[in-house]
Amino acid sequence: MGRTPFDDLYEQPDPRTYFRVLGALDYRTPHHAQEVFRRLAAARSTQLAESAAVLDICCSYGINAALLNHDLTWDDLYTHYTSPQAKALSTTELIAWDRTYYAARRRHDAVPVTGLDVSAPALDYALAVGLLNEAYAENLETAPPSPALRRAARDIRLITVTGGASFLSPRTFRPLLTAADAPVWVAAFVLRTGSYHPIAAGLLSHGLVTEKATGTTFPQRRFTSAQEQQYAVDAVTAAGEDPRGRETDGYFHTALHLSRPPEDAEAFPLTALS
């Protein structure tokens, strides 16, 4: 047995089930990513002297965009979507409520975010409430990007990933980086149960050097069973990492990987951004 699948969470018309189910497992990766992604977007915007456009891969309901561009925390979102008020609404009513909710909390330094995910319902919600500027329901592991996605990728300056690196390969990143008309940074929170080396090698072919944040990992969520925990402990050990004090304590953990041109890595040290 490997990881427990949660595919059905991403096929709902709104994120209430997502927050109810994953919140019960203390899922936290977007929380850990929030300030990191804000610092990266700010660094890129400063470097470029304009708002750095972001592409969030495996974006689902636009949660990373919500946390990046609004004065909200992960706990705020959990409370919002599991509240009695939210439970009582239809999806149409929730979307109307959420448009106002997010608009009232929009940050002055918000950046444009494009979403990429295989779930059309999740993307439809994120677009409807104003979290994403554009969205593409495409799987680049199995098919090349549409012409529209290629056009959108021209302006991308930062790619973010929090929930899908285990399902990705260089096939997803290659056409996006090829289409971009300037260097792109790639930031990914990656489960320790697998290797990021194939993706890092693919990014290197586009001139991006990958650094891994050392000294810290980030709890992702609690295990659903003893069997899932044993899978994680075995997989982390096989990957050459030490599960003690992390996976042995009951949680999946992720590590932050940041890929950039060498000169950008020198100008903006990872220790100041992570």
Side-chain angles (χ1 to χ4, degrees):
M1 174 183 175
R3 279 181 290 154
T4 301
F6 291 99
D7 296 353
D8 59 319
L9 298 186
Y10 303 97
E11 293 299 329
Q12 307 304 312
D14 62 64
R16 286 176 289 189
T17 302
Y18 168 98
F19 278 98
R20 176 176 55 81
V21 173
L22 292 183
L25 294 170
D26 198 23
Y27 177 67
R28 306 293 290 174
T29 303
H31 161 73
H32 300 306
Q34 181 179 29
E35 290 303 321
V36 174
F37 289 170
R38 282 183 180 174
R39 286 192 287 270
L40 294 175
R44 286 297 274 147
S45 296
T46 297
Q47 184 185 37
L48 299 167
E50 63 181 11
S51 292
V54 174
L55 172 66
D56 192 32
I57 297 179
C58 301
C59 69
S60 72
Y61 298 95
I63 306 304
N64 287 330
L67 295 175
L68 175 65
N69 282 334
H70 302 82
D71 286 320
L72 290 164
T73 67
W74 170 261
D75 289 337
D76 290 333
L77 295 180
Y78 177 76
T79 299
H80 176 73
Y81 286 109
T82 60
S83 68
Q85 299 97 310
K87 292 177 183 178
L89 300 177
S90 68
T91 293
T92 300
E93 292 168 335
L94 180 68
I95 287 173
W97 189 35
D98 280 352
R99 284 199 199 103
T100 302
Y101 179 77
Y102 288 116
R105 293 160 175 83
R106 188 79 171 176
R107 291 170 60 90
H108 69 88
D109 58 353
V111 296
V113 180
T114 295
L116 176 62
D117 200 280
V118 297
S119 171
L123 294 176
D124 288 343
Y125 162 84
L127 284 171
V129 301
L131 294 177
L132 299 176
N133 297 76
E134 299 180 53
Y136 297 90
E138 302 183 29
N139 185 348
L140 303 191
E141 291 295 303
T142 59
S146 65
L149 177 53
R150 286 186 186 275
R151 285 193 295 272
R154 292 175 188 166
D155 299 326
I156 296 303
R157 300 297 178 259
L158 171 63
I159 291 175
T160 56
V161 188
T162 54
S166 301
F167 306 103
L168 303 176
S169 76
R171 285 189 295 274
T172 287
F173 297 90
R174 187 179 301 117
L176 299 172
L177 297 176
T178 300
D181 60 15
V184 178
W185 292 11
V186 180
F189 283 77
V190 183
L191 279 173
R192 286 164 25 99
T193 50
S195 173
Y196 195 64
H197 294 312
I199 291 177
L203 298 179
L204 183 60
S205 69
H206 290 271
L208 307 184
V209 175
T210 298
E211 299 173 276
K212 178 181 176 182
T214 58
T216 186
T217 61
F218 305 88
Q220 189 218 36
R221 65 163 172 84
R222 290 198 305 272
F223 297 117
T224 57
S225 65
Q227 291 82 2
E228 189 181 55
Q229 181 175 18
Q230 189 60 56
Y231 151 76
V233 169
D234 292 344
V236 168
T237 302
E241 302 285 351
D242 187 353
R244 291 176 295 179
R246 293 179 171 87
E247 289 78 12
T248 58
D249 283 0
Y251 281 75
F252 282 109
H253 276 248
T254 65
L256 170 64
H257 295 72
L258 181 59
S259 307
R260 300 169 290 170
E263 60 272 21
D264 290 350
E266 183 175 349
F268 299 90
L270 177 58
T271 52
L273 298 170
S274 59

